[in-house]
Amino acid sequence: MEFEAGTYNDDDLSDDSVCDDGAEDLLQSLVRAALSGDLQRCTAALEGCASRGVDPNRLTNNGRSCLLTSCQAGHVAIVALLMQHGVRASACGWNNTSALQAACGEGHTECALLLLSPENNNTHGAVVTDADGSGMTALLSACAGGHAACAALVLERGAAVDHATRHGLETSLHAASSRGHVDCVALCLKHGASLDLANQRGSTALHLASGAGHAEVVSLLCRSGVSVSAVDERGKTALHMAARTGRCAACRSLVEAGARCEAECALGATPLLEAVEHGLSE
């Protein structure tokens, strides 16, 4: 199962296949303690791992990591304890999801700071540019979740603002714009995000924000010099997207920024026709 923010629960942490040496039992106990934020249980599990020679960096049989679990849950004291006991800040879980990505995806800035702190960030430290199997990074996760403090932290530490996912070609600016996270959009722009990069479907950040009706984001992108005439794979502009979904405020910002009301898509439809066909009289 691919890592998703907010999906851990005790059922996920059931013992799938216990190793003969008891390592799996210890690792599962450690992950449960990390999930619940129980310092006493976590300490006992770490001591058990040390006495039995079990590496706490190992994943459980069902792909769980104690550090990722504590970062995703936001248990700062547990994260500190684990790292004091040799759990690496660079630890990854299933699909190469990093602990930093887990923390940033949930907006746990203090956990992210611990992972990136100079005293912990040695050769096994968290790397802000690391991506999971799908190409998601800590910055992408933070922007998708609207966690501006985490986004600011990793950007200041050198996160690649224009990095895109492998298949959808989604950038951090796309992620923030499509979800209406204006603070994250502003941060990406401040750090030099390319305004007119397109995703796999040819949609720019402006297309995504316009279609979703995020008027404040649309206005910010327009003020920043985005191309209002850029077209997606169907030849549609951002104004087409806003008009067909009845996003009046977004339409207004686009028109004021110079979007052409008579622009035709690949099938010859204009933004006006899109609105009429969808019964959007306003």
Side-chain angles (χ1 to χ4, degrees):
M1 180 172 65
E2 187 172 350
F3 173 87
E4 294 178 2
T7 58
Y8 282 148
N9 57 58
D10 245 8
D11 292 337
D12 290 331
L13 306 176
S14 59
D15 296 344
D16 290 326
S17 62
V18 178
C19 301
D20 291 339
D21 60 2
E24 180 68 10
D25 279 332
L26 284 168
L27 291 170
Q28 291 281 4
S29 295
L30 181 56
V31 171
R32 286 195 177 93
L35 174 65
S36 65
D38 190 322
L39 277 169
Q40 185 174 354
R41 285 175 58 198
C42 198
T43 301
L46 286 166
E47 291 173 350
C49 286
S51 65
R52 298 289 295 275
V54 177
D55 183 1
N57 288 286
R58 277 177 51 183
L59 302 182
T60 64
N61 286 347
N62 53 1
R64 303 305 186 193
S65 155
C66 58
L67 186 60
L68 263 74
T69 301
S70 57
C71 285
Q72 194 249 356
H75 297 311
V76 181
I78 297 292
V79 173
L81 176 68
L82 292 171
M83 294 176 69
Q84 288 165 10
H85 282 77
V87 179
R88 296 186 294 271
S90 58
C92 289
W94 192 90
N95 198 33
N96 283 329
T97 301
S98 70
L100 184 61
Q101 184 185 337
C104 289
E106 291 295 327
H108 298 309
T109 312
E110 288 186 56
C111 291
L113 278 167
L114 267 179
L115 296 170
L116 293 168
S117 61
E119 59 269 28
N120 294 322
N121 199 20
N122 50 29
T123 55
H124 298 298
V127 180
V128 294
T129 54
D130 281 350
D132 67 14
S134 66
M136 285 291 290
T137 62
L139 176 58
L140 265 161
S141 295
C143 286
H147 305 302
C150 284
L153 173 64
V154 294
L155 281 166
E156 289 164 3
R157 302 298 178 91
V161 71
D162 283 336
H163 171 87
T165 56
R166 288 189 174 85
H167 301 297
L169 300 182
E170 181 182 43
T171 67
S172 299
L173 184 60
H174 292 150
S177 297
S178 65
R179 296 164 177 83
H181 301 314
V182 67
D183 289 344
C184 290
V185 171
L187 275 169
C188 289
L189 296 177
K190 177 183 176 182
H191 286 265
S194 299
L195 283 165
D196 298 316
L197 285 180
N199 66 14
Q200 190 177 35
R201 295 180 178 273
S203 298
T204 65
L206 188 61
H207 280 96
L208 298 168
S210 299
H214 300 308
E216 192 173 356
V217 173
V218 171
S219 179
L220 174 58
L221 291 171
C222 288
R223 294 197 307 272
S224 300
V226 70
S227 172
V228 295
S229 60
V231 297
D232 64 14
E233 63 182 6
R234 298 164 298 177
K236 294 189 176 186
T237 65
L239 187 56
H240 280 94
M241 304 308 297
R244 76 187 304 272
T245 52
R247 312 298 188 176
C248 293
C251 285
R252 188 173 298 109
S253 292
L254 290 165
V255 171
E256 289 172 354
R260 294 176 60 244
C261 299
E262 67 276 16
E264 294 184 358
C265 70
L267 296 177
T270 64
L272 175 60
L273 183 58
E274 292 274 17
V276 171
E277 286 184 341
H278 289 83
L280 303 168
S281 58
E282 186 179 355

